Amino acid sequence: MVSRIAGSRGIPQDPKTMTTRPCAGALALLLALIPLKLISAEKAAAGLIRVAAAQAQGRVIDYRLGAAEALAAVDRNLSALESIVDRAGEAGSDVLVLPEDTPGLLNWVGANEERLKEVLPEAVGRMKRQLGTAAARHRMYLVVCSDFIEADGGVYNTSFLLGRDGREIGRYHKVCPTWGEAGARRRGRSFPVFPTTDLGLAGMLICYDLVMPETARALALKGADIIFFPTMGGAAIGEGDIGEQALRVRAVENFIWLVVAQRGSGAMIISPQGRIIARAEGRDGLAMADIDLHGQREGGDSMNWQRDMRARIFRERNPEAFEVLTDTNAPILAKVPIAQTSEEAGKIMARALTVGEEEFRRADALAAAGETGKAIAAFERLQREYPGTWIDRRAQERVERLRGETTR
Amino acid sequence: MVSRIAGSRGIPQDPKTMTTRPCAGALALLLALIPLKLISAEKAAAGLIRVAAAQAQGRVIDYRLGAAEALAAVDRNLSALESIVDRAGEAGSDVLVLPEDTPGLLNWVGANEERLKEVLPEAVGRMKRQLGTAAARHRMYLVVCSDFIEADGGVYNTSFLLGRDGREIGRYHKVCPTWGEAGARRRGRSFPVFPTTDLGLAGMLICYDLVMPETARALALKGADIIFFPTMGGAAIGEGDIGEQALRVRAVENFIWLVVAQRGSGAMIISPQGRIIARAEGRDGLAMADIDLHGQREGGDSMNWQRDMRARIFRERNPEAFEVLTDTNAPILAKVPIAQTSEEAGKIMARALTVGEEEFRRADALAAAGETGKAIAAFERLQREYPGTWIDRRAQERVERLRGETTR
């Protein structure tokens, strides 16, 4: 039995929300900042914190570059990202989250497995130093994210929480990478939470993690008040709005704040009620909101209402009945076998992200030149080499069309 | 990293969907049945099954009735429900799910704890016999739900899956009742799945269970293809559409079919893609759809597409990192204490569902008669007796208003 929340006693006003986009000129910037600074003073008096999430556009580094050139490209990306950090800082943000793959090395990493040591440690060091220094100028926390080589020699998709002084408070290794992604990386083994003086107990997750309800749940069970979430996608595999709805559900099912920094578009801030209270707009736009880390958790039903609904839901869980959740060989695995190992899927993914696109274009050129037989053979080879990828599916369509033309 | 599904190769057509509402007369019924019967023949040829979920209205039995009178009221409810069963059967359904608290005894149970043995075993027996016999006339599976006294003497909120012959295949005890509900009941300890010849591997959940992502996940990990879900609410505590969005997310995060029989309104059928493919309309309406239990599970991203996405997501989970999910004393519990024990909340809930409403009305009558001092005292007593309930919140509003009037 469960009824909708029946009253609103004690529910505070919606937090102040705003969206900003890059201003065209200095005057516009100045005018835009005046009200934000005023709100900033109000905010501090009310004990609120201003959170920001950037939908920084993809700044994909060419996988064909050598190590030195790749690092130079990272520097160019960091300069562009630094201006986003400054914009968030000038708007009075207390914390800014940047998207997954902040420096833009994902494709390069896929194609240069043997040269990662020449680039990743240096690139991540520069990212933390340059963007951390910029954030520290504004006394602002910062979350950045990149593939990284850890002391154990493994590559992990890693997010870093930097403090108001620009120094690292802690890091998180993605626990649930995709099947292909996990082929060339190690998976994180824990969900750390980080006590802060003014952001509550903070946790981080990365992209595909949130497709799994277990990840946000683990952070919430460890007491996290807020999740910083660098990502390239929503929280569900599917079409339409389901990825965004799943983000809302991750927040409300744990009564937790969720700060979504999605690449390109879709940055947003979601309250513990599952409400999207701020969205970013435009290129490199910021979603911003002033939030009360201890608020927005009222809830219940007509029979039992709580000021902090976490007091109920985490007692209404019944972990004695949940053993199958930690079973490493749950019955479903035997029922739904998988064709490729994670390593195979990873190799295919790395090539599909890089050389695959060029090979596909060459096959397309054969078809355009009327070399139908050769084109069919090329597409069929692509299907064998890139099974399960977009290349496989598109090549299949091309083959069907070309065969249709030849038999007409 | 996760991309949206990029292609649609091999994704079958949407399943045929329909909604029906009670027909006014026999002619209308006959006309309505002709196309359904035709579709029914098509359906069988295509290997589909027709699932139905009823939004049977609340048929609440008066808590003041004696045992014999309560059983007579159950009989009246069963007669009304039998006509819903017949309607679903005549429409060619293979399975029908009825809402939580099918016989309508919830309030009576709350107020008559010492007399449950006189009523519950007999009421549940009659429900299974009468509705099971009706369903068997149509060779239709049936799911019903009620509080029930088990052999161990405990009261469990229980759902029953009856086969095409009307006999019980298996039962499920609600694992996650609400805090108050659990005060007077025992909690289920497992998530059974039931192999069937033509419904796949079936599981059941009840109402508040689905507020917890762990419940549907446990069934999916055990290999369930479909969840039958008798309920009185959605899958999240919150306002607006979040309860319904959470139902969609429960389906898609497990790539599982979800059949929602919600009391009064909101019965629906949700595909493993998280799409609502059928909704019920009107009083006692049915949501119906012809579904392929093995279909609608295509998914993935541009790098790795699967015909049954369960093959990926249940390998992308990382159960080694999930220990906190089965910790019976997770850190969050110390952080968010609760004021009432489950037993206290249960007693308050039972009284609020029954005598509380009358007491509230009497206090209101005092206020209407101008006896402001007495009314304030009565509302304040109600606040003390029903803390956290709708009575507490409304009484608080009344007290504030009455005090405002006296000080003007």
Side-chain angles (χ1 to χ4, degrees):
Chain A
M1 188 196 56
V2 50
S3 326
R4 289 185 209 296
I5 172 170
S8 64
R9 190 186 76 175
I11 295 186
Q13 295 302 303
D14 270 357
K16 292 190 185 67
T17 64
M18 69 212 84
T19 59
T20 71
R21 56 171 93 204
C23 298
L27 183 65
L29 186 68
L30 188 69
L31 289 171
L33 287 177
I34 290 169
L36 286 170
K37 285 290 179 195
L38 288 176
I39 294 169
S40 185
E42 266 177 41
K43 171 203 73 151
L48 304 177
I49 60 160
R50 181 164 295 170
V51 294
Q55 56 190 26
Q57 63 167 327
R59 293 176 165 85
V60 179
I61 292 174
D62 188 335
Y63 68 91
R64 286 161 298 203
L65 298 183
E69 294 168 302
L71 283 169
V74 166
D75 285 339
R76 285 191 296 277
N77 283 351
L78 293 178
S79 294
L81 294 166
E82 188 174 347
S83 73
I84 300 177
V85 173
D86 277 332
R87 188 150 37 87
E90 284 156 8
S93 304
D94 292 293
V95 56
L96 169 66
V97 185
L98 289 171
E100 187 182 22
D101 185 28
T102 308
L105 282 166
L106 177 66
N107 291 10
W108 194 92
V109 165
N112 294 276
E113 210 175 331
E114 72 293 347
R115 306 169 75 183
L116 299 187
K117 280 188 190 158
E118 299 170 48
V119 168
L120 277 185
E122 180 62 23
V124 171
R126 291 184 195 179
M127 170 180 72
K128 289 168 64 185
R129 217 157 34 238
Q130 183 169 347
L131 301 185
T133 301
R137 280 199 298 272
H138 305 282
R139 304 293 300 157
M140 182 172 72
Y141 292 90
L142 180 69
V143 175
V144 291
C145 179
S146 176
D147 278 323
F148 185 61
I149 304 175
E150 279 295 352
D152 64 4
V155 178
Y156 295 84
N157 192 338
T158 308
S159 60
F160 300 88
L161 172 61
L162 310 182
R164 289 188 189 269
D165 58 2
R167 291 195 191 156
E168 179 177 336
I169 292 174
R171 64 185 67 177
Y172 163 72
H173 300 131
K174 190 176 189 176
V175 168
C176 297
T178 67
W179 191 237
E181 188 186 6
R185 290 168 187 78
R186 293 198 195 157
R187 306 203 287 183
R189 289 173 293 275
S190 66
F191 295 96
V193 289
F194 304 102
T196 68
T197 48
D198 47 2
L199 291 181
L201 195 58
M204 293 180 277
L205 295 173
I206 302 172
C207 197
Y208 201 75
D209 273 331
L210 261 195
V211 170
M212 309 292 163
E214 291 91 342
T215 59
R217 191 60 132 197
L219 285 177
L221 286 168
K222 290 180 151 197
D225 300 301
I226 189 165
I227 296 174
F228 301 121
F229 181 55
T231 186
M232 293 190 193
I237 295 285
E239 291 169 337
D241 66 340
I242 196 73
E244 179 171 307
Q245 298 300 349
L247 288 170
R248 297 176 60 205
V249 170
R250 294 290 171 259
V252 76
E253 70 195 4
N254 295 295
F255 283 84
I256 201 163
W257 287 99
L258 181 58
V259 183
V260 180
Q262 182 166 313
R263 189 143 105 173
S265 66
M268 61 182 81
I269 294 158
I270 307 179
S271 83
Q273 305 282 340
R275 277 199 291 264
I276 298 170
I277 62 165
R279 289 180 188 272
E281 284 176 30
R283 182 181 157 113
D284 288 340
L286 296 171
M288 296 180 66
D290 292 349
I291 69 171
D292 173 5
L293 277 169
H294 307 292
Q296 294 287 315
R297 292 202 167 85
E298 302 79 3
D301 48 52
S302 60
M303 292 300 136
N304 190 296
W305 186 92
Q306 300 283 333
R307 194 162 291 276
D308 185 337
M309 190 52 193
R310 294 182 296 181
R312 256 186 63 181
I313 58 164
F314 291 120
R315 288 178 172 83
E316 291 165 330
R317 289 176 79 247
N318 191 348
E320 289 92 340
F322 294 166
E323 302 86 24
V324 71
L325 297 182
T326 53
D327 182 349
T328 56
N329 193 21
I332 186 68
L333 296 180
K335 178 168 174 166
V336 285
I338 196 159
Q340 300 158 357
T341 66
S342 179
E343 290 68 26
E344 289 163 351
K347 287 198 171 64
I348 292 165
M349 174 177 114
R351 285 179 53 83
L353 273 171
T354 53
V355 293
E357 195 166 333
E358 284 171 27
E359 292 176 18
F360 188 85
R361 255 188 255 121
R362 279 201 292 275
D364 247 358
L366 286 171
E371 304 255 33
T372 306
K374 284 186 187 167
I376 288 175
F379 283 124
E380 286 177 339
R381 199 191 58 245
L382 286 173
Q383 284 197 265
R384 287 191 301 275
E385 288 185 12
Y386 298 97
T389 67
W390 68 269
I391 295 173
D392 178 12
R393 294 200 302 281
R394 294 271 188 82
Q396 167 84 12
E397 289 163 14
R398 296 284 204 279
V399 167
E400 282 165 11
R401 209 183 57 203
L402 291 169
R403 283 200 196 288
E405 283 169 10
T406 56
T407 59
R408 255 207 305 267
Chain B
M1 187 196 57
V2 50
S3 326
R4 289 185 209 297
I5 172 170
S8 64
R9 190 186 76 174
I11 295 185
Q13 296 302 304
D14 271 358
K16 294 191 184 67
T17 64
M18 69 213 84
T19 60
T20 71
R21 56 171 93 203
C23 298
L27 183 65
L29 186 68
L30 188 69
L31 289 171
L33 287 177
I34 291 170
L36 287 170
K37 286 289 179 194
L38 289 176
I39 294 169
S40 185
E42 267 177 41
K43 170 203 74 152
L48 303 177
I49 60 160
R50 181 164 296 170
V51 295
Q55 56 190 26
Q57 63 167 328
R59 293 176 164 86
V60 179
I61 291 174
D62 188 336
Y63 68 91
R64 286 160 299 203
L65 298 183
E69 295 167 301
L71 282 170
V74 166
D75 284 339
R76 285 191 296 277
N77 282 352
L78 293 178
S79 294
L81 294 166
E82 188 174 347
S83 73
I84 300 177
V85 173
D86 276 332
R87 188 150 38 87
E90 284 156 7
S93 304
D94 293 293
V95 55
L96 169 66
V97 185
L98 289 171
E100 186 183 22
D101 186 28
T102 308
L105 282 167
L106 177 66
N107 290 10
W108 194 93
V109 165
N112 294 276
E113 210 175 329
E114 72 293 347
R115 305 170 75 184
L116 299 186
K117 280 188 191 159
E118 299 170 47
V119 168
L120 277 185
E122 180 62 23
V124 171
R126 291 184 194 179
M127 170 180 73
K128 289 168 63 185
R129 217 158 33 238
Q130 183 169 346
L131 301 185
T133 301
R137 280 199 298 272
H138 305 282
R139 305 293 300 158
M140 182 172 72
Y141 292 91
L142 181 68
V143 175
V144 291
C145 179
S146 176
D147 278 322
F148 185 60
I149 304 175
E150 279 296 351
D152 63 4
V155 178
Y156 295 84
N157 192 338
T158 308
S159 60
F160 301 87
L161 172 61
L162 310 183
R164 289 187 189 269
D165 58 2
R167 291 196 192 156
E168 180 177 336
I169 292 174
R171 64 185 67 176
Y172 163 72
H173 300 130
K174 189 177 190 177
V175 168
C176 297
T178 67
W179 191 237
E181 188 186 6
R185 289 167 187 79
R186 292 198 194 157
R187 306 204 286 184
R189 289 173 292 277
S190 66
F191 296 96
V193 289
F194 304 101
T196 68
T197 49
D198 48 2
L199 291 181
L201 195 57
M204 294 180 276
L205 295 173
I206 302 172
C207 197
Y208 201 75
D209 273 332
L210 261 195
V211 170
M212 309 292 163
E214 291 91 342
T215 59
R217 191 60 133 197
L219 286 177
L221 286 168
K222 290 180 151 197
D225 301 301
I226 188 165
I227 296 174
F228 300 121
F229 182 55
T231 186
M232 293 189 193
I237 295 285
E239 291 169 338
D241 66 340
I242 195 73
E244 178 171 308
Q245 298 299 349
L247 288 170
R248 297 176 60 204
V249 171
R250 294 290 171 260
V252 76
E253 70 195 5
N254 295 296
F255 283 83
I256 201 163
W257 288 99
L258 181 58
V259 183
V260 179
Q262 182 166 312
R263 188 143 106 173
S265 66
M268 61 182 82
I269 294 158
I270 307 179
S271 84
Q273 304 282 341
R275 277 199 291 263
I276 298 170
I277 62 165
R279 290 180 188 272
E281 284 177 28
R283 183 181 156 114
D284 287 339
L286 296 172
M288 296 180 67
D290 292 348
I291 69 170
D292 173 5
L293 277 169
H294 308 292
Q296 293 287 315
R297 293 202 166 85
E298 302 79 3
D301 49 53
S302 59
M303 292 301 136
N304 190 296
W305 185 92
Q306 300 283 332
R307 195 161 290 276
D308 185 338
M309 190 53 193
R310 294 182 296 182
R312 255 186 64 181
I313 58 163
F314 292 120
R315 288 177 172 84
E316 291 166 330
R317 288 176 80 246
N318 191 348
E320 289 92 340
F322 294 167
E323 302 87 22
V324 71
L325 297 181
T326 53
D327 183 349
T328 55
N329 193 21
I332 186 67
L333 296 180
K335 178 168 173 166
V336 285
I338 196 159
Q340 300 158 357
T341 66
S342 179
E343 290 68 26
E344 288 164 350
K347 286 198 171 65
I348 292 165
M349 175 178 113
R351 285 178 53 83
L353 273 170
T354 52
V355 293
E357 195 166 332
E358 284 171 28
E359 292 176 19
F360 188 85
R361 255 188 255 122
R362 279 201 292 274
D364 247 358
L366 285 172
E371 305 253 33
T372 306
K374 283 185 187 169
I376 288 175
F379 283 124
E380 286 178 339
R381 198 190 60 244
L382 286 172
Q383 284 197 265
R384 286 191 301 275
E385 288 185 12
Y386 297 97
T389 67
W390 67 269
I391 295 173
D392 178 13
R393 295 200 302 281
R394 294 271 189 82
Q396 167 85 10
E397 289 163 14
R398 296 286 204 279
V399 167
E400 282 164 11
R401 209 183 57 204
L402 291 168
R403 283 200 196 288
E405 284 169 9
T406 55
T407 60
R408 255 207 306 266

